[in-house]
Amino acid sequence: MNTRRILGMSLLLWLASMGLPARDRTESLAGLAGRSSHVALVRCAEAAPVTPVSNGLVYTRYILEVQEQIAGTGLAGRVTLRVVGGTAGNIRVTVPDAPRFKENGIYLVMLRPAGSGRHLLVTGAAGGVWPARRNKTTSNWEVEVPRRLLGRDGEKMNEPSARPIAAPGAGVWLELAAVRQLIASSDGR
């Protein structure tokens, strides 16, 4: 391994251990939706750690299958995301606030184009990925929306379908129709 790669990886690991790459993700729903060119319900078909030969940095390649487009256009089929971090061989890299997906998990994701426009990034890092599930009674999709986002945007939830269903974790489970309404009203789509 050449010296530049060792120094680069050491710097990244040191910054990650101090929590410096992580930023406070207290952006509102309007901010996240406004910066996103696509919002979609996806299933993670594959999560594969990769170490490219060129720079030695470990990243995870996620292949996401689009189940339903919520906002934006032109996103269909499969989307590939590359996220820094993961385990490849004896090397493990952890980046705070990096989005993570479990294989076969269903998520609502907010995506935006990268600088070049050729690739997509998750808007708001881990804040732009919300777990989703089927309601066992109604078979409708539900999305776990972070409570901090509902604190600012929750006033818009006047419809009965927008009221919280259950709150087992760090978020509130809302029906997809209510989430779609919140996103549409927050960014003018």
Side-chain angles (χ1 to χ4, degrees):
M1 201 181 275
N2 68 28
T3 305
R4 189 169 31 172
R5 274 191 9 208
I6 291 172
L7 287 174
M9 287 181 64
S10 298
L11 178 63
L12 179 65
L13 292 171
W14 177 73
L15 288 172
S17 71
M18 294 183 61
L20 293 179
R23 297 187 300 263
D24 184 18
R25 301 287 181 197
T26 56
E27 189 169 14
S28 69
L29 177 59
L32 280 171
R35 291 191 314 119
S36 300
S37 58
H38 304 285
V39 180
L41 194 66
V42 301
R43 182 182 78 81
C44 179
E46 182 181 330
V50 177
T51 305
V53 176
S54 61
N55 63 10
L57 186 61
V58 175
Y59 66 89
T60 302
R61 183 186 68 236
Y62 295 105
I63 297 177
L64 307 177
E65 294 177 345
V66 178
Q67 306 294 300
E68 185 175 338
Q69 179 116 14
I70 308 303
T73 58
L75 193 65
R78 290 179 164 223
V79 174
T80 301
L81 297 177
R82 288 178 22 166
V83 178
V84 175
T87 304
N90 295 334
I91 301 171
R92 181 182 174 122
V93 177
T94 303
V95 178
D97 206 30
R100 295 282 176 243
F101 301 89
K102 292 182 182 173
E103 281 192 23
N104 295 314
I106 305 291
Y107 303 91
L108 182 123
V109 294
M110 297 191 181
L111 302 169
R112 65 182 177 83
S116 67
R118 287 183 34 212
H119 303 286
L120 292 172
L121 298 173
V122 176
T123 307
V129 178
W130 306 345
R133 68 181 183 197
R134 287 271 186 195
N135 181 303
K136 292 177 183 172
T137 307
T138 65
S139 295
N140 293 332
W141 286 109
E142 300 174 340
V143 178
E144 186 177 19
V145 180
R147 290 179 195 275
R148 63 183 165 68
L149 294 181
L150 293 176
R152 291 189 191 114
D153 300 299
E155 301 81 33
K156 298 174 183 161
M157 297 191 322
N158 297 327
E159 299 295 319
S161 65
R163 295 199 183 109
I165 296 165
V172 176
W173 288 95
L174 300 177
E175 289 187 11
L176 182 59
V179 174
R180 185 186 312 262
Q181 181 182 9
L182 282 171
I183 290 169
S185 65
S186 69
D187 73 347
R189 289 183 198 183

